[in-house]
Amino acid sequence: MQVVETISEVRRIRREGQGSWGLVPTMGYLHRGHAALVEQARKENDHVGVSIFVNPTQFGPTEDLAAYPRNLERDLALLAEAGADLVWTPPVEEVYPAGFQTYVTVEDVTKVLEGAARPTHFRGVATVVAKLFNVFQPDRAYFGQKDAQQVVVIRQMARDLNFPLEIVVCPIVREADGLALSSRNVYLTPEQRAAAPVLYRALCAARDAWQAGEHDGERLRGILRRVLTAEPLAQPHYVSAADPRTLAELGDASRGVLLSMAVRVGKARLIDNILLA
Ligand code: AMP
């Protein structure tokens, strides 16, 4: 496994690696969810590239950029074990040199849900992912369903800007009690950690209702809200029952629905979702 910092080294190694390349973009502090993406990329490509970059442009001014957890040594051990060939760990100036002024803005699908709460977030995500696609030129790029709106935004960008690659989406990896793995779970105190599975319980309650024939979007959002508000340590930011492609809130959810939510538990803003089709 080669670990490099500069774009020119990534390009050189990419050129020398004959055959197909899979790319897994990450912000580090890796866990089994990230490892699952690397393992999937390993199965489907001759070479696997991973980026570790805490991307400043996707954090808002009051968000946790400076506090975002980091542990490069542990990340590299996990990636070697999972089968990565190339890891790019650029310093901020390598990605955003002085004078940088070009951004990628995806329109409608970034205005709702996470984008409504975090107005500059997806501009930062789309910009850095476009740069990663240009630097690695992968045949396939791997993303987690955990960040459901991110997947919709990146698919839209790849289609609109004609990136010649396949976007592969991998299932959410969870703890035994249902909490979705996240680098931000480290912010939870033991008491908050015990409360955090309420997100998944709420999603499961709405999923069960949908499967039993409850296809009214407002009533599905009501179920999510009810389960969440029963947990005093959970402060819901939004609950959603949306069209999986447009992300518009649904009245009639009979043709499929993305159930999703953002919930503050202590210092952590947790997101989770279930896709029903
Ligand atoms: P991050 O490091 O949080 O930017 O995440 C990097 C990639 O890993 C994104 O595509 C995430 O959706 C994905 N990911 C994060 N957590 C999970 C999880 N629990 N299960 C599956 N994928 C995940």
Side-chain angles (χ1 to χ4, degrees):
M1 185 173 84
Q2 298 185 75
V3 183
V4 302
E5 292 197 352
T6 66
I7 292 171
S8 59
E9 286 169 293
V10 175
R11 288 197 193 280
R12 178 180 55 74
I13 294 163
R14 169 68 180 87
R15 267 199 311 276
E16 288 168 4
Q18 298 288 310
S20 61
W21 277 83
L23 168 66
V24 181
T26 83
M27 298 205 300
Y29 212 72
L30 305 177
H31 51 61
R32 284 185 290 114
H34 299 105
L37 299 182
V38 176
E39 284 157 13
Q40 177 89 16
R42 177 80 276 162
K43 286 195 197 113
E44 297 176 352
N45 302 275
D46 298 311
H47 308 276
V48 178
V50 178
S51 58
I52 298 179
F53 181 59
V54 182
N55 174 36
T57 62
Q58 71 188 67
F59 287 77
T62 62
E63 294 179 4
D64 58 345
L65 173 61
Y68 197 83
R70 296 162 204 248
N71 188 335
L72 184 58
E73 201 180 322
R74 216 187 61 198
D75 288 350
L76 295 178
L78 179 145
L79 291 175
E81 172 81 11
D85 300 296
L86 168 60
V87 184
W88 187 34
T89 59
V92 172
E93 322 77 71
E94 183 73 5
V95 180
Y96 300 110
F100 184 90
Q101 51 184 295
T102 304
Y103 293 88
V104 178
T105 307
V106 179
E107 300 279 342
D108 298 352
V109 293
T110 65
K111 295 195 171 127
V112 293
L113 304 175
E114 288 301 287
R118 309 178 69 190
T120 58
H121 174 65
F122 286 115
R123 182 178 94 137
V125 170
T127 301
V128 82
V129 171
K131 287 173 68 84
L132 288 167
F133 286 177
N134 282 329
V135 170
F136 278 89
Q137 305 201 0
D139 299 282
R140 298 181 190 82
Y142 293 79
F143 295 90
Q145 177 61 25
K146 164 87 185 343
D147 297 277
Q149 188 174 12
Q150 173 168 280
V151 168
V152 172
V153 170
I154 288 167
R155 279 195 194 290
Q156 184 74 46
M157 178 192 77
R159 195 160 55 237
D160 290 349
L161 297 183
N162 308 100
F163 281 105
L165 51 78
E166 185 188 341
I167 308 282
V168 183
V169 182
C170 300
I172 301 177
V173 178
R174 299 179 179 282
E175 302 283 6
D177 61 8
L179 177 64
L181 266 60
S182 165
S183 310
R184 291 187 166 105
N185 292 349
V186 71
Y187 298 145
L188 299 169
T189 65
E191 197 191 8
Q192 291 158 357
R193 171 65 189 79
V198 72
L199 280 80
Y200 187 57
R201 277 208 310 282
L203 290 166
C204 289
R207 175 200 60 197
D208 293 349
W210 187 85
Q211 285 172 343
E214 176 57 88
H215 292 163
D216 181 85
E218 190 46 44
R219 284 207 288 271
L220 291 169
R221 289 184 287 273
I223 294 169
L224 296 175
R225 243 178 256 119
R226 251 194 321 281
V227 177
L228 290 173
T229 47
E231 170 50 66
L233 295 184
Q235 294 166 258
H237 282 186
Y238 65 79
V239 299
S240 166
D243 182 301
R245 282 162 297 276
T246 65
L247 304 180
E249 291 304 319
L250 289 173
D252 170 11
S254 61
R255 283 186 303 280
V257 59
L258 175 67
L259 301 171
S260 70
M261 57 180 54
V263 179
R264 184 165 288 280
V265 180
K267 272 196 296 191
R269 184 173 181 283
L270 304 177
I271 58 170
D272 202 350
N273 70 87
I274 289 186
L275 179 60
L276 300 170

